[in-house]
Amino acid sequence: MLAIAILAAGKGTRMKSALPKVLHPLAGKPLIDRVLSSTHGLKPNRRLIVVGHQADEIKGALKSTQDLDFVLQKPQKGTGHAIQQLIPNLKGFKGELLVLNGDVPLLKEKTLKSLLELHKGSDASVTFLSARLDSPTGYGRVFTNQSGTVKEIIEERDCNSEQRKNKLINAGIYCFNWQQLSDVLYLLSNKNSQKELYITDTIGLLNKALHLEVDDPFEVKGINDRYQLFECEYHIQEKLKSFWMRKGVSFIDPISCTLSDDTDFGTDVIIEPQTHLRGKCNIGNGCHLGPGSVITNSKLEKNVLAIHSIINEAIIGANTSIGPFAHIRPESNICDNSKIGNFVEIKKSFIGKGTKINHLSYVGDTTLGSNINIGAGTITANFDGKSKHSTTIGDYSKTGANSVLIAPIKIGSHVTIGAGSTISRDIPDKSLVVERSKAIIRTKGD
Ligand code: UD1
Ligand code: CA
């Protein structure tokens, strides 16, 4: 039997933030989501999260995650005290308890599997992950016996200057034999510099403790402050970008670009400076993105060009060009060979093949056919002050510069609308419509 407990009740004081530490995002995903993802393949019988400080926010953020029990720790008197709160929940439980720190987000499932394997194949009461760090500042130090078993873990603030030189650190990830742990949990004392109950003190109280040193110290990096958050972000970004460069994506200036781990690229994609991909994006072969574009939860077919533009929750067809300075808002579907140009905003609209909206337009709640030309400054007036209404335009129609189409409205196909018209009624196919007041010209002396 395997139970997993994630510690997330601490105050996270060093973050100096109103947002709970474990909800801070890393490449767009909250730390706690990352920790949870690393446990998926372990098939635990129970998953528990210890919450306390800002418990409701954390519970709210995880409400759609299934098979998760929340355990309240109030007040928060240290990591050992957090584990003590599990006792009523794990009454009668026999097996391993895997303890994860909610602020160690880069851990790989593979490493957790090795930890469980090592523990199960030994007679140890606890096995935990360790790492050898060049700069171990802030971490608990691991002291071993000659046989290689662990004698104790001493928190940095409780170390003397000699002990502090030890570079072997505790990663805060433990696999305990639950029955043996629960027998010693009540023995913890708060005689330390923080006056807290430390989970690390159980090591000295248990029969046998082993540690597993990880190969990549970054995997067990803990986040206590925003600098460490940045270090992890940098590390993730570096890994993602180098992975995609090796798969055929060019970055002109990778340092200025960020990716999410749910971004998927075809080949021969070029990413120009200051371009960011967020959420789940699918970018087809030959796309050229940036400079200065932000693309979120969108699918771009092959050869899409997007310069200085924002694309959010949209689908963009092949060979379509977006920008410069276009804003494509959610639920928009722009078909192949279209052009959405300078200072154009598209919202919740379908744009047919080969249609062009080149300059200064707002198109919202609209269905456009194919091969339409929307003139500069055309506006679909979709809001009457209370509700939104839709606009439809048929294939091959043209709107003149500064046309205003008052929705709800249907414009047929092969229609031409004269520049400066405000149209508030449906227009049949193959017609020309102009609505303008007559110019009144008076010359001096009239
Ligand atoms: C802890 C370890 C340290 C290790 C480091 C690894 C202890 C005493 N020290 O130190 O040896 O090197 O992690 O990153 O365990 N938490 C609770 N309830 C509490 C206090 C903390 O749930 O009362 C949670 C926090 O939300 C956090 C985790 O436990 O997710 C670790 O707490 P933190 O205060 O960050 O411990 P560290 O000082 O980093
Ligand atoms: Ca920590």
Side-chain angles (χ1 to χ4, degrees):
M1 294 279 268
L2 174 67
I4 296 181
I6 300 175
L7 304 187
K11 291 195 187 67
T13 321
R14 290 166 279 185
M15 291 300 280
K16 301 204 170 30
S17 172
L19 184 71
K21 172 161 78 175
V22 297
L23 297 188
H24 275 261
L26 208 49
K29 244 189 225 166
L31 303 187
I32 193 80
D33 286 24
R34 290 185 175 272
V35 176
L36 279 165
S37 316
S38 69
T39 68
H40 284 327
L42 305 177
K43 303 201 172 60
N45 305 87
R46 301 278 308 271
R47 281 199 303 180
L48 306 117
I49 298 210
V50 183
V51 289
H53 180 69
Q54 296 179 302
D56 290 341
E57 278 96 325
I58 298 171
K59 279 184 185 175
L62 293 173
K63 65 175 182 292
S64 57
T65 312
Q66 294 186 336
D67 304 324
L68 211 55
D69 293 327
F70 292 95
V71 177
L72 197 63
Q73 183 200 12
K74 245 177 189 170
Q76 297 84 39
K77 294 196 254 173
T79 48
H81 180 248
I83 299 293
Q84 285 179 347
Q85 312 311 305
L86 300 175
I87 295 172
N89 286 274
L90 291 179
K91 224 176 201 140
F93 174 79
K94 289 194 179 80
E96 275 77 43
L97 173 70
L98 180 66
V99 175
L100 305 176
N101 268 359
D103 63 354
V104 179
L106 301 183
L107 204 58
K108 292 199 186 96
E109 190 179 292
K110 197 172 83 200
T111 309
L112 289 175
K113 281 188 173 154
S114 312
L115 175 69
L116 289 174
E117 238 167 66
L118 176 66
H119 181 78
K120 284 183 187 162
S122 74
D123 56 351
S125 319
V126 56
T127 309
F128 62 92
L129 292 180
S130 63
R132 219 164 272 280
L133 301 188
D134 291 337
S135 37
T137 309
Y139 291 93
R141 307 297 205 277
V142 177
F143 295 88
T144 51
N145 297 308
Q146 278 190 333
S147 61
T149 58
V150 180
K151 195 165 124 220
E152 59 181 338
I153 298 175
I154 308 180
E155 288 309 294
E156 179 171 86
R157 7 158 95 84
D158 300 311
C159 282
N160 61 34
S161 53
E162 202 50 42
Q163 290 167 327
R164 222 165 269 172
K165 286 183 194 151
N166 181 354
K167 295 189 166 184
L168 187 64
I169 64 100
N170 164 33
I173 314 295
Y174 322 80
C175 181
F176 288 102
N177 173 306
W178 168 247
Q179 282 178 303
Q180 294 178 31
L181 175 67
S182 51
D183 285 345
V184 301
L185 271 177
Y186 72 98
L187 296 172
L188 291 175
S189 92
N190 67 353
K191 292 203 182 86
N192 51 56
S193 62
Q194 290 198 98
K195 309 240 168 330
E196 285 188 349
L197 302 181
Y198 289 164
I199 184 65
T200 45
D201 284 347
T202 60
I203 304 292
L205 297 168
L206 288 163
N207 283 339
K208 183 173 174 187
L210 294 178
H211 71 108
L212 173 65
E213 203 179 312
V214 295
D215 299 333
D216 174 10
F218 238 102
E219 231 193 286
V220 295
K221 188 157 182 70
I223 294 181
N224 294 322
D225 59 32
R226 301 214 193 207
Y227 190 76
Q228 288 168 327
L229 184 69
F230 152 74
E231 286 179 306
C232 283
E233 180 77 44
Y234 190 87
H235 182 79
I236 290 187
Q237 291 300 336
E238 179 66 25
K239 285 214 142 169
L240 284 169
K241 286 177 277 192
S242 55
F243 172 84
W244 284 114
M245 284 188 232
R246 291 195 177 96
K247 290 248 178 191
V249 176
S250 286
F251 284 85
I252 309 299
D253 176 25
I255 287 170
S256 72
C257 298
T258 57
L259 301 182
S260 64
D261 20 22
D262 291 334
T263 300
D264 198 51
F265 292 99
T267 52
D268 285 318
V269 173
I270 298 177
I271 311 281
E272 298 251 20
Q274 313 237 342
T275 293
H276 307 277
L277 290 119
R278 297 176 176 165
K280 197 169 167 50
C281 289
N282 202 301
I283 310 296
N285 294 347
C287 285
H288 191 140
L289 310 180
S293 292
V294 181
I295 298 166
T296 309
N297 292 326
S298 293
K299 179 174 172 62
L300 276 54
E301 304 287 356
K302 65 177 183 188
N303 302 330
V304 169
L305 195 69
I307 305 175
H308 283 292
S309 291
I310 311 285
I311 300 174
N312 191 5
E313 291 178 25
I315 299 174
I316 314 289
N319 311 312
T320 284
S321 154
I322 309 283
F325 308 109
H327 185 185
I328 315 296
R329 293 171 52 197
E331 295 182 57
S332 295
N333 185 347
I334 296 167
C335 297
D336 298 357
N337 305 313
S338 315
K339 188 160 183 337
I340 311 295
N342 311 260
F343 304 103
V344 171
E345 177 179 350
I346 309 280
K347 181 223 128 185
K348 206 176 176 179
S349 293
F350 178 92
I351 313 293
K353 283 185 185 169
T355 286
K356 295 186 171 61
I357 312 171
N358 274 334
H359 329 267
L360 302 157
S361 278
Y362 170 72
V363 173
D365 302 302
T366 295
T367 304
L368 296 186
S370 52
N371 300 305
I372 290 171
N373 192 75
I374 299 289
T378 297
I379 304 292
T380 58
N382 60 337
F383 188 50
D384 60 10
K386 277 199 190 116
S387 15
K388 300 279 168 68
H389 300 282
S390 59
T391 299
T392 307
I393 305 183
D395 300 346
Y396 295 99
S397 290
K398 299 186 183 87
T399 67
N402 251 14
S403 304
V404 178
L405 311 175
I406 316 268
I409 189 168
K410 280 198 173 78
I411 313 263
S413 55
H414 296 274
V415 168
T416 301
I417 295 175
S421 302
T422 297
I423 310 291
S424 54
R425 42 169 279 204
D426 293 352
I427 307 292
D429 292 350
K430 297 181 183 159
S431 36
L432 166 71
V433 53
V434 186
E435 193 187 90
R436 246 180 247 165
S437 45
K438 251 189 187 165
I440 299 168
I441 304 171
R442 290 201 180 96
T443 46
K444 246 184 177 176
D446 281 356

